[in-house]
Amino acid sequence: VQLVESGGGLAQPGGTLKLSCTASGFIFTRYVMSWVRRAPGKGLEVVSEIDSDGLEWYADSVRGRFTISRNNDKNEVYLEMDKLGPEDTALYYCTRGGRRSVWSGASVRGQGIQVTVSS
């Protein structure tokens, strides 16, 4: 299983970033995919998840600002982040599995990509 994130970096408050994740080594359409983040000094937070049919779920902290999507033909999942604030600064992980898998420890994560929101 390989999950490779891209698209992170520095954004200004109120700005936009889009994360991408390319998956390989498993049958992509069989899995819910999610984005998980770890902010400095805090635990893992499941930000958003999407099933193979495109059904989306968002944490309250990002609902209305972030949009998750996936392309099953390309084995890719995305996270578009709008209206970014300093509280969104974190290491973001592309994850195979939804929030239940994350909480149970059954999920698989990529290496992570840093998102920093600062002026």
Side-chain angles (χ1 to χ4, degrees):
V1 175
Q2 193 169 19
L3 301 165
V4 180
E5 302 98 339
S6 61
L10 178 65
Q12 294 202 339
T16 297
L17 278 177
K18 184 174 182 178
L19 304 182
S20 299
C21 171
T22 300
S24 60
F26 63 99
I27 301 175
F28 187 70
T29 53
R30 288 188 177 176
Y31 290 88
V32 174
M33 296 297 295
S34 61
W35 289 94
V36 175
R37 69 185 180 186
R38 187 189 299 273
K42 296 188 177 181
L44 281 176
E45 179 187 16
V46 182
V47 172
S48 182
E49 70 176 44
I50 185 168
D51 73 9
S52 58
D53 292 325
L55 183 64
E56 303 161 30
W57 174 89
Y58 298 93
D60 289 344
S61 57
V62 305
R63 188 174 293 116
R65 300 188 298 120
F66 289 11
T67 304
I68 193 170
S69 59
R70 64 191 289 166
N71 184 323
N72 289 335
D73 292 332
K74 294 184 176 181
N75 285 8
E76 294 181 347
V77 60
Y78 314 99
L79 186 69
E80 180 149 1
M81 305 181 291
D82 296 326
K83 301 176 184 176
L84 286 163
E87 69 277 10
D88 298 313
T89 294
L91 192 60
Y92 284 72
Y93 298 93
C94 176
T95 304
R96 188 186 77 173
R99 56 195 188 278
R100 290 185 180 85
S101 293
V102 173
W103 297 337
S104 70
S107 63
V108 177
R109 295 197 297 267
Q111 290 296 307
I113 192 162
Q114 181 66 37
V115 170
T116 302
V117 183
S118 174
S119 56

